[in-house]
Amino acid sequence: MGRSPLTGRESALMRNRALHEALRDFALESAALLTDDVKAGAEIEFDVVDEGGRRGAGPALYRYKPRTESFVAERWPRLRELPACARAGEELGAGAAAWLRVNGLRGEQAEPALQAMLDRLYEDSTSFGFPEERFERVYREVELTLYADAVRARVVAPLPGVWIESERVGLGGGVSLVRGDLADAPAGAVWPEDGDGAPAVLCVLERDVDAGTQIPAAEAEGRFRSVVTALRLWGPGAVSLGGPGWRRADEGRWSPVPLGGSSAGRGEGWVLAAGEEDVLREFVATVDASRPAGVIAWALARFEMGCERSHDAEALSDYLLALRALLDATSDAGEASLALRVAALCAEEGKRRTVQRRIEAALALERFVMGGMGRMPVESPTDLVAEIERHVRALLRDVLCGYLDPDLKGVADDILLEATADPAGEIQARDLRRERVEEREPEAEVDLEPEADTSEIQPVARQQPVPAPPGEPQPQQQLDGVTQSADWGWGEPDDYSAPV
């Protein structure tokens, strides 16, 4: 859907961009529906209005006035079903009563207010093309009605390492990502001292408040950190929250706000390509509503610590600690099966053995980093750490978005039992406890094929499917705690989700 060509000054004066876009989208969709009806043969009725002077005082003057209100009212049952209508009503919210009141109408619901807006847009019109200039005038009236006793407050903070191809990406709840080179923002935010010399992408929180008040710094920092968490879960990249932040009310002066910055981390920048805005918006809302607790919250915090580390060796332990927490691998027996369980959850078909060995290599690398025990187990530690980070991100995403049961250990053991029952199964148990003993003996080589030990894996109870009658297709067995992959969203699950 097209956007109105607002100038920078008009954009800065707009109090509620989300409301503007929602009402404009609804007006555009309504214009298309009404125009199609006219092209299909629907006719607008007219009233004859006498605009002459008093009877006998002069010639009678008549004017044909189109009955656009009746035309719109007859089609309102279809207009209210347009995709943009529900969002426009939500954004207008409690302001509907005020808008109706200034237009001489009664009520508190959004739908009558939206219908009144269409009546204003097409008053005395005989066609239904979208009236751009009239819409902007009507929208200014809406804002004057809704925000007569309020000021627009903003808080901005730079996001070093982030780049978006769009000018602005709304994330809901008054939070947006805005390109600093196209934003009305102080130079200290657009060109932060800890930046790379390029204009920063800004995280912006804006809403209407009572005159003389400001958005609390603690609230802004909490909202911004939630966005950074979601961006780190969305994909790899050196995402961080820069400081200080800046805030102001209406067109007042910008003042610095002490927002706590975070480490820039490692790797290349985080990029959002054009066309991914809607998917990111939905993902951020889902993660923000997930409210993780317990083990999941602890693992998420460890994952973010790893993202902020400046060295791969430091990040490796954070990511492995997150995996241990997610898969309940806090004992020696649990650690011995950690690689098996990660492979069961994260490996693609035919690659479980490879993922298993890579997890084992990561555990060996951690022991080497901690105390020089054993030999350097991999040629590229950087690539290995990136793989572990990807697995942690996939598992956290799937749990927070509801695709996997938080009991990941039970889900993994269920999958392993299925693989054990299949003669062609490729997962093989390895006793990492024995390998650690052998690593401490300088003269001993690491045994690449130790005896299998699956004693720690416990069966997970699940309901057996009821066989279908003879001649009918047999039902597919589904593992407990696993949502079928056909239900997974966010674009292409293979790019980030655990492929279980």
Side-chain angles (χ1 to χ4, degrees):
M1 191 68 67
R3 296 294 178 220
S4 56
L6 298 174
T7 64
R9 177 64 176 171
E10 290 170 332
S11 176
L13 293 176
M14 185 186 301
R15 290 184 178 276
N16 193 333
R17 183 183 300 270
L19 176 61
H20 178 275
E21 293 185 354
L23 294 182
R24 188 171 186 275
D25 285 346
F26 174 65
L28 283 167
E29 292 185 5
S30 299
L33 185 151
L34 297 172
T35 300
D36 288 344
D37 277 12
V38 171
K39 290 181 179 179
E43 296 183 354
I44 303 175
E45 297 179 352
F46 290 83
D47 288 329
V48 180
V49 181
D50 183 359
E51 294 186 341
R54 290 180 300 173
R55 186 179 298 249
L61 298 176
Y62 298 100
R63 179 175 66 89
Y64 290 97
K65 180 180 179 180
R67 301 180 61 185
T68 52
E69 292 185 13
S70 298
F71 192 87
V72 170
E74 291 174 0
R75 288 154 180 80
W76 182 252
R78 293 163 54 205
L79 291 167
R80 68 189 301 271
E81 297 299 327
L82 292 172
C85 184
R87 179 168 174 255
E90 291 176 0
E91 293 292 343
L92 188 57
W99 170 244
L100 288 169
R101 185 172 59 253
V102 299
N103 283 275
L105 302 172
R106 295 182 179 180
E108 298 179 355
Q109 301 302 314
E111 286 190 9
L114 295 176
Q115 185 175 347
M117 182 190 73
L118 293 181
D119 293 340
R120 287 290 310 280
L121 288 179
Y122 296 109
E123 185 177 7
D124 294 332
S125 297
T126 57
S127 63
F128 294 97
F130 179 65
E132 186 78 60
E133 293 184 2
R134 181 177 289 189
F135 172 81
E136 295 300 333
R137 289 198 301 272
V138 171
Y139 180 75
R140 283 195 291 272
E141 294 175 6
V142 173
E143 286 205 339
L144 287 174
T145 302
L146 301 184
Y147 307 118
D149 300 320
V151 296
R152 193 64 169 172
R154 297 177 179 85
V155 181
V156 304
L159 296 178
V162 175
W163 181 252
I164 57 175
E165 294 185 357
S166 301
E167 176 182 350
R168 171 184 289 261
V169 180
L171 300 178
V175 177
S176 303
L177 301 180
V178 184
R179 283 175 50 178
D181 57 334
L182 302 176
D184 176 23
V190 179
W191 308 94
E193 295 182 358
D194 57 351
D196 57 2
V201 168
L202 305 178
C203 197
V204 180
L205 172 62
E206 52 186 347
R207 71 161 182 262
D208 290 283
V209 299
D210 293 335
T213 62
Q214 295 274 14
I215 297 176
E219 177 190 347
E221 182 171 3
R223 298 290 299 278
F224 293 166
R225 288 194 179 278
S226 295
V227 170
V228 171
T229 297
L231 298 187
R232 288 169 174 168
L233 288 169
W234 173 268
V239 182
S240 61
L241 176 62
W246 299 80
R247 69 181 174 187
R248 75 171 179 181
D250 271 350
E251 300 303 305
R253 295 181 58 183
W254 288 99
S255 58
V257 180
L259 299 183
S262 59
S263 174
R266 314 169 315 285
E268 299 179 354
W270 186 99
V271 179
L272 180 70
E276 296 182 342
E277 297 86 357
D278 290 341
V279 183
L280 177 64
R281 183 181 302 110
E282 187 177 357
F283 176 75
V284 171
T286 301
V287 171
D288 190 52
S290 63
R291 298 291 188 268
V295 170
I296 304 301
W298 192 90
L300 178 60
R302 275 294 170 182
F303 168 75
E304 293 208 71
M305 289 181 189
C307 292
E308 296 183 4
R309 300 293 188 185
S310 56
H311 300 290
D312 290 328
E314 297 173 345
L316 177 61
S317 288
D318 290 316
Y319 296 143
L320 289 176
L321 283 172
L323 283 179
R324 291 182 178 108
L326 291 172
L327 293 165
D328 193 20
T330 56
S331 63
D332 286 345
E335 178 104 350
S337 298
L338 178 62
L340 279 171
R341 291 185 171 120
V342 175
L345 292 169
C346 296
E348 299 287 351
E349 188 73 22
K351 297 182 179 179
R352 286 176 175 169
R353 180 73 64 83
T354 300
V355 171
Q356 176 188 353
R357 290 181 179 273
R358 295 293 282 174
I359 299 298
E360 293 166 355
L363 295 171
L365 176 59
E366 181 187 41
R367 293 192 295 273
F368 178 84
V369 171
M370 290 172 61
M373 296 179 290
R375 298 173 297 178
M376 175 68 75
V378 291
E379 296 180 0
S380 177
T382 298
D383 292 344
L384 183 59
V385 173
E387 289 181 34
I388 304 303
E389 177 187 347
R390 185 170 64 250
H391 295 324
V392 178
R393 176 181 293 109
L395 293 175
L396 286 171
R397 286 185 63 132
D398 287 352
V399 170
L400 295 176
C401 294
Y403 302 147
L404 280 177
D405 191 291
D407 180 19
L408 293 177
K409 175 184 176 182
V411 176
D413 288 351
D414 220 5
I415 296 173
L416 291 171
L417 289 174
E418 291 293 325
T420 303
D422 181 4
E426 58 172 332
I427 293 183
Q428 180 180 2
R430 295 161 61 88
D431 191 341
L432 297 182
R433 292 169 293 180
R434 175 183 297 180
E435 291 190 9
R436 285 201 294 271
V437 173
E438 293 174 350
E439 282 183 356
R440 288 193 288 268
E441 299 176 2
E443 69 280 4
E445 294 293 332
V446 176
D447 183 9
L448 298 180
E449 295 293 339
E451 296 179 0
D453 180 4
T454 59
S455 59
E456 202 272 336
I457 301 174
Q458 300 297 325
V460 178
R462 60 182 182 274
Q463 184 178 358
Q464 295 297 324
V466 178
E472 295 185 12
Q474 296 295 319
Q476 296 295 323
Q477 185 173 2
Q478 179 176 331
L479 299 176
D480 283 347
V482 182
T483 303
Q484 293 189 13
S485 59
D487 295 333
W488 295 359
W490 324 122
E492 296 294 334
D494 289 344
D495 294 338
Y496 46 75
S497 291
V500 59

